Amino acid sequence: MPELPEVETVRIGLARHLPGLKITSAKALHPRLWRHQIKMVPGLVNAGLLTPKQALNPEEVFASVLTGNRVKTVARRGKFMWLVLENGALAVIHLGMSGQALLHEPNPSGKETPDASEYLAEPGESPTDLTARLVRRQGKPDDKHLRALLELEHGYRLRFIDQRTFGHITVCAPLATEDGYPGGFGSELAVIPEYLSHIERDLLDEALDVDRLIKRLKNTHRPVKTALLDQGLVSGVGSIYADEGCFLAGVRPGKMSHRLSAKQWHDVLEATAEVMRRALEVGGTSFDSLYVNVDGAPGFFARSLNVYGRAGKPCKTCGNVLQKTVIQGRSAVFCSHCQ
DNA sequence: AGATACCCCTGTTAGC
DNA sequence: TGCTAACAGGGGTATC
C-alpha cells in the first residue's frame, strides 16, 4: 500500500543511482502495465517525442521513448513518481497496491553471483546493510510478477514487479504547471506529466495552496476520509495515513467534510502531514511483504501505527476498543473516545 | 459538475 | 481438510 512516504522512499533510492544513466533497453512485459499509455500518445507526438510511425501500439511506445534516452532526475507528486528524461519525455511510475521498483547494481566482479568474500560484512556494515547490498548485486528472482525491465548503462537494471497489477508505467509529454512552481519533489522543472494534470499537489509540497485546499474541503459534501483520499484535492494520502491523521487530530473519519471548521481541517492536514514525515524517516510502512524499497528492504513505521489495521484492539491512548466502519466502500478504523 | 457505484487483480484469511 | 467467499487497496470510468 505505497502512499507518499513509501513512494518517496523509492524515489530517493532511484534518484541515488539513475541520473546520468542511459536506458539501453526497455521491456514492457504485461498488458496492464501500459493500459493508460494510449491516451498519452497524441501528446507525445505533438511534443515531437514520438513519430506517428512509432506510435503503433502501446508496448512499442514504451520501448521507443525510453530506449536510448538518458535519465536526468526522478521526481514525485503524491503517490506518482516519474523519470525525467533528457529529451523532455516523462515516464510516470505508479506502484498501485503491490508495485516494487527494484534496482540492481552491477556486480563489480562481473559474475552473476557474488564471490564468497562478498558475503562478509565490510567494516562498520550492519547485517541489514549487508543484506541490502547483496540483494542489490544478486537480485531476488520474481519473474512471475515481473511487469517491466529497464536495463541501463554500466549494468544497472530496474525491475518493476507488481503482484496485483494495479501499478503502471505511462510515458507522456510535459505540461507547464499552472502556478509556475516545480511540478513535483525532486525536480526544479515547472512541469507536470500530462498524465497527472488532474492530480493536485501533495500534502508535503511547499507550493501547496493550503488556504485554497481548506476552502475546497469545506465546500465538499463527503466524509472526511473520502475527501482526504481524493487525489484531485490533495495527493499523497492513502488509507493508512488518512486513518492515522484523523486519529491524531481527534476527528472521526466519517464526519462530513463541510461540517469541520477551518481550524479542524488545519489540524487534520497538519497531523496527516506529520505522520507522513515521521513514516518517511523510517522508510515508510510495510504492512505486509509487498512494500519494499529499491533494495528490497521493508520500512519500519508499521509498529508506530495507532489505528490502521488495529480494529478490535485497544486504543494506545485511552484503552477503548478501536472501531471499524466502512466509508464509501473503504474500511476505516477509529477510536470512538478519542475522535 | 459533483457525488457515487463499480471495476480491475491476486494472495491471504476467515468461515463453513 | 478442503472449499468458497470476503477482503485489501488506488484510481479510472460510467452513471446518476
Side-chain angles (χ1 to χ4, degrees):
Chain A
M1 291 136 266
E3 304 178 28
L4 189 156
E6 293 75 37
V7 178
E8 176 61 11
T9 301
V10 173
R11 188 201 68 80
I12 290 170
L14 296 179
R16 195 143 40 208
H17 297 280
L18 296 187
L21 295 180
K22 184 187 282 189
I23 298 168
T24 53
S25 91
K27 296 190 182 78
L29 303 169
H30 193 286
R32 278 182 60 78
L33 181 90
W34 64 80
R35 67 192 184 282
H36 299 299
Q37 185 62 68
I38 192 74
K39 289 171 292 191
M40 296 297 115
V41 165
L44 285 166
V45 174
N46 285 341
L49 297 167
L50 193 72
T51 66
K53 192 181 174 187
Q54 285 176 316
L56 291 175
N57 65 57
E59 184 181 5
E60 289 188 17
V61 169
F62 181 84
S64 301
V65 177
L66 292 181
T67 305
N69 224 323
R70 201 176 291 275
V71 179
K72 276 178 72 179
T73 50
V74 188
R76 179 194 57 75
R77 173 182 288 198
K79 305 171 194 172
F80 295 87
M81 58 187 161
W82 60 90
L83 308 181
V84 179
L85 301 167
E86 201 169 45
N87 70 350
L90 307 171
V92 176
I93 301 172
H94 194 275
L95 299 176
M97 286 187 61
S98 54
Q100 305 175 343
L102 298 182
L103 191 58
H104 305 285
E105 290 179 43
N107 182 352
S109 70
K111 298 173 185 170
E112 279 300 307
T113 54
D115 291 334
S117 63
E118 296 179 28
Y119 285 97
L120 301 174
E122 292 168 358
E125 188 177 38
S126 71
T128 307
D129 292 341
L130 171 63
T131 303
R133 179 165 61 85
L134 292 172
V135 168
R136 276 203 303 271
R137 290 213 183 145
Q138 199 170 15
K140 259 193 286 187
D142 180 9
D143 290 341
K144 184 179 176 187
H145 299 123
L146 183 65
R147 310 304 184 197
L149 176 62
L150 295 190
E151 292 178 305
L152 300 104
E153 283 180 323
H154 311 312
Y156 281 87
R157 284 181 303 138
L158 179 61
R159 297 166 71 242
F160 185 78
I161 290 160
D162 189 9
Q163 176 192 100
R164 298 180 194 172
T165 71
F166 276 43
H168 57 89
I169 302 179
T170 306
V171 177
C172 61
L175 292 178
T177 55
E178 289 182 12
D179 55 18
Y181 290 110
F185 195 80
S187 168
E188 292 301 311
L189 293 176
V191 300
I192 186 78
E194 183 188 356
Y195 183 72
L196 304 185
S197 58
H198 64 297
I199 302 294
E200 255 294 351
R201 292 187 176 279
D202 64 58
L203 207 41
L204 299 189
D205 190 330
E206 290 178 2
L208 173 69
D209 186 341
V210 178
D211 291 338
R212 172 173 170 269
L213 169 60
I214 291 179
K215 278 180 190 154
R216 293 179 75 190
L217 288 166
K218 280 183 62 62
N219 203 34
T220 189
H221 292 221
R222 282 180 289 177
V224 166
K225 178 164 181 176
T226 307
L228 277 175
L229 296 182
D230 185 342
Q231 310 293 299
L233 286 171
V234 62
S235 66
V237 184
S239 193
I240 296 174
Y241 299 107
D243 279 8
E244 295 297 315
C246 285
F247 175 80
L248 287 186
V251 170
R252 293 203 184 187
K255 184 160 178 173
M256 288 303 281
S257 185
H258 63 287
R259 303 192 63 114
L260 263 65
S261 67
K263 163 92 169 61
Q264 282 180 303
W265 262 122
H266 212 277
D267 289 348
V268 170
L269 296 176
E270 184 44 49
T272 307
E274 182 56 25
V275 181
M276 293 200 294
R277 280 191 284 264
R278 276 189 246 150
L280 177 56
E281 286 176 10
V282 293
T285 301
S286 291
F287 202 72
D288 50 34
S289 62
L290 294 178
Y291 162 67
V292 293
N293 68 10
V294 296
D295 296 326
F300 294 97
F301 196 69
R303 63 186 66 167
S304 304
L305 297 175
N306 287 302
V307 285
Y308 182 85
R310 299 193 66 247
K313 292 179 179 169
C315 172
K316 291 180 181 178
T317 301
C318 73
N320 276 22
V321 175
L322 295 175
Q323 308 291 308
K324 180 176 183 175
T325 56
V326 175
I327 298 172
Q328 302 292 315
R330 297 281 177 252
S331 66
V333 183
F334 67 99
C335 174
S336 56
H337 179 259
C338 297
Q339 290 172 268

